[in-house]
Amino acid sequence: MDSARNYFEGTQKIQYEGRDSKNMMSFHHYNPEQMIGNKKMKDHLRFSVAYWHTFCFEGKDMFGADLFNRSWNNYSDPLDQSL
């Protein structure tokens, strides 16, 4: 069984490389250690994910077709999907 946890396994932490970086998988403007006022940027801008809406949404559009083909959405039992 392939879960969302396994799907992202091996993904590296995204690093700040500056605005001139050609790396698509880097932060160009978000530098977590940069001070803004009396706080670091990472304390002002805290990233989060709404689990259900991000990983469990099938991508249905107004016509009802599933747009996302995610292996963990192919289970009929919701408890199996949650693993």
Side-chain angles (χ1 to χ4, degrees), residues 2 16 31 39 47 49 57 61 65 69-71:
D2 187 23
Y16 170 73
N31 180 359
K39 290 184 182 179
F47 290 98
V49 173
F57 175 58
D61 63 14
N69 183 17
R70 296 176 173 149
S71 61

Side-chain angles (χ1 to χ4, degrees), residues 2 8 12-13 15 17 19 21-23 27 29 31 37 41 47 51 55-56 59 64-65 67 70 74 76-77 79 83:
D2 187 23
F8 294 103
Q12 302 296 316
K13 183 176 178 182
Q15 300 294 320
E17 294 182 11
R19 76 171 81 190
S21 174
K22 302 294 184 217
N23 180 0
F27 288 119
H29 302 282
N31 180 359
M41 194 179 285
F47 290 98
Y51 176 81
F55 298 114
C56 299
L67 299 175
R70 296 176 173 149
N74 296 331
S76 59
D77 182 359
L79 290 176
L83 299 175

Side-chain angles (χ1 to χ4, degrees), residues 29-43:
H29 302 282
Y30 172 73
N31 180 359
E33 300 304 318
Q34 181 179 338
M35 294 297 288
I36 299 177
N38 60 350
K39 290 184 182 179
K40 291 183 178 182
M41 194 179 285
K42 68 181 177 184
D43 296 322

